[in-house]
C-alpha cells in the first residue's frame, strides 16, 4: 500500500497506538480501539485517502473492532480510489472480481479498477502482477469484457514476467494449446517448469505429463515421477494415480532416484520464504 501519508501519522508519537489498531496488533482495550477508530474515521471523513483506505481495510478485515462489511469497505475504498489511491483501486477491483461479504461480483467494475490500479506506478510489484493475472482471466472468461485469447495471453505474460506463479502456469497452457499465441511446446515447458518449481500443483501435474510423453522436453520418467509425487503429496488424486501407473513401468533404481529428487525439492522449497506456504507438511512422498 502507499503508506506515505499513513506512516507520518504513525510517527507523531500518538499515545493511541493507531498503527497497532489499524493493522490488527493485539493488546489494545475496547476503549483503545474505539478511540483509534474515531481517529481514522475523522481523517477519512475529512478526505484523507490513506485514512479512507484504512477504514475500507478495517471493514474488509474486521480490524479496529469494526464489523466485517463488504459494502462499507467498498464505499471507503471507492472514495480513495476516485482520487487515484492505488491500493484502494486494487482492493476495489478484487472485491468486484471475487465478490465477498455480500458484495456482488461485477465484471465491468472489476476490470475498470484493476486496470486503474495496474497502471499506477506506486502499486507494489506483487499486487501489480496479481492484478494483471486477474485481468488476463477476465479476457479468458469474458468477465466484464469481451473474450479475447490474444489479450489474455498478453496479460498472462505480463503477470508471469512479474513473478505471479499462477500466471506462469496459465501462460504455459497458452503456449501448450496455442491459445492466443503460436503453439510452442518448448516455451510451454519453460513457463510450466517455473510454475512447478514455485509449487503450483496443477503446473507440476502438467509438467509431469510432459516428461512422461516427451513433448517439449526429453522423455524422463524419473522427472515425471518426481513431479507427480510432489503433486500427489498435496492431495492431487489424479497425480497419485498417474504416479502409480508410471511406477509400474519404472525400475526400482529409477523410483528410488525420483523419490530422492522429490525429497531434495521439498527440503529446498521448505527453506524458501516464497514457497513455504505452498507445500503443506507433512509430505506424503512415496
Amino acid at each position: 500500500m502507499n503508506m506515505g501519508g499513513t506512516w507520518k501519522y504513525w510517527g507523531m508519537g500518538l499515545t493511541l497506538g493507531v498503527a497497532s489498531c489499524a493493522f490488527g496488533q493485539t493488546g489494545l482495550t475496547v476503549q483503545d480501539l474505539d478511540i483509534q477508530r474515531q481517529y481514522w474515521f475523522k481523517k477519512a471523513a475529512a478526505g484523507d485517502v490513506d485514512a479512507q483506505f484504512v477504514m475500507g481495510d478495517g471493514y474488509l478485515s474486521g480490524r479496529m473492532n469494526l464489523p466485517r462489511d463488504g459494502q462499507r469497505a467498498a464505499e471507503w475504498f471507492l472514495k480513495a480510489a476516485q482520487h487515484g489511491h492505488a491500493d484502494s483501486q486494487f482492493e476495489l477491483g478484487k472485491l468486484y472480481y471475487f465478490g465477498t461479504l455480500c458484495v456482488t461480483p461485477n465484471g465491468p467494475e472489476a476490470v475498470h479498477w484493476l486496470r486503474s490500479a495496474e497502471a499506477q506506478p506506486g502499486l507494489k510489484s506483487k499486487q501489480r502482477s496479481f492484478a494483471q493475472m486477474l485481468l488476463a482471466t477476465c479476457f479468458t472468461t469474458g468477465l466484464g469484457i469481451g473474450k479475447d485469447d490474444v489479450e489474455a495471453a498478453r496479460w498472462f505474460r505480463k503477470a508471469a514476467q512479474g513473478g505471479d506463479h499462477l500466471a506462469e502456469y496459465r501462460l504455459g497452457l497458452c503456449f501448450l494449446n496455442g491459445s492466443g499465441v503460436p503453439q510452442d511446446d518448448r516455451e510451454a515447458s519453460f513457463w510450466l517448469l517455473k510454475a512447478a518449481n514455485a509449487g503450483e500443483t496443477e503446473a507440476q501435474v502438467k509438467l509431469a505429463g510432459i516428461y512422461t510423453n516427451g513433448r517439449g522436453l526429453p522423455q524422463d520418467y524419473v522427472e515425471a515421477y518426481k513431479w507427480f509425487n510432489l503433486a500427489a503429496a498435496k492431495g492431487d488424486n489424479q497425480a497419485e494415480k498417474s504416479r502409480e501407473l508410471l511406477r509400474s513401468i519404472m525400475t526400482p533404481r529409477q523410483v528410488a532416484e525420483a523419490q530422492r529428487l522429490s525429497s531434495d525439492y521439498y527440503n529446498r522449497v521448505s527453506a524458501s520464504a516464497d514457497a513455504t506456504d505452498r507445500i503443506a507438511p507433512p509430505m506424503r512422498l512415496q
Side-chain angles (χ1 to χ4, degrees), residues 72-274:
R72 290 187 179 182
E75 290 169 6
W76 282 113
F77 286 142
L78 179 61
K79 290 178 185 292
Q82 289 174 329
H83 288 88
H85 192 269
D87 291 289
S88 294
Q89 293 174 346
F90 176 68
E91 292 298 334
L92 197 58
K94 287 198 303 177
L95 267 175
Y96 283 124
Y97 180 92
F98 292 107
T100 186
L101 297 175
C102 298
V103 174
T104 302
N106 185 319
E109 285 294 300
V111 169
H112 171 72
W113 291 115
L114 288 169
R115 277 187 180 275
S116 296
E118 189 274 337
Q120 292 273 20
L123 195 69
K124 288 186 177 69
S125 59
K126 283 190 176 182
Q127 292 174 321
R128 188 184 316 283
S129 59
F130 188 60
Q132 291 165 343
M133 199 275 293
L134 293 182
L135 285 167
T137 305
C138 289
F139 278 109
T140 300
T141 62
L143 176 66
I145 202 165
K147 292 181 66 173
D148 188 326
D149 290 341
V150 174
E151 277 296 291
R154 186 174 75 87
W155 283 105
F156 279 133
R157 185 188 291 275
K158 282 177 173 282
Q161 291 173 335
D164 187 277
H165 303 314
L166 181 56
E168 292 169 350
Y169 165 64
R170 297 295 299 276
L171 182 60
L173 291 185
C174 289
F175 280 108
L176 194 66
N177 301 320
S179 177
V181 291
Q183 198 280 331
D184 189 327
D185 288 343
R186 292 183 68 85
E187 190 76 5
S189 299
F190 172 81
W191 291 108
L192 291 170
L193 183 59
K194 285 178 71 70
N197 271 315
E200 289 293 338
T201 305
E202 290 177 295
Q204 292 173 341
V205 175
K206 187 66 67 174
L207 186 64
I210 286 174
Y211 274 117
T212 301
N213 299 318
R215 177 183 173 183
L217 288 170
Q219 187 179 63
D220 188 329
Y221 289 165
V222 171
E223 279 292 314
Y225 187 103
K226 180 189 79 173
W227 291 114
F228 278 139
N229 200 27
L230 289 163
K234 289 182 284 184
D236 189 291
N237 292 329
Q238 184 57 52
E240 186 173 0
K241 293 176 182 177
S242 297
R243 180 191 64 194
E244 295 311 305
L245 284 173
L246 192 59
R247 184 200 291 263
S248 68
I249 60 173
M250 293 172 65
T251 68
R253 184 186 295 273
Q254 287 177 317
V255 172
E257 176 64 8
Q259 291 169 338
R260 184 189 67 79
L261 291 175
S262 300
S263 296
D264 288 349
Y265 171 90
Y266 174 63
N267 291 334
R268 183 174 70 255
V269 298
S270 293
S272 167
D274 181 56

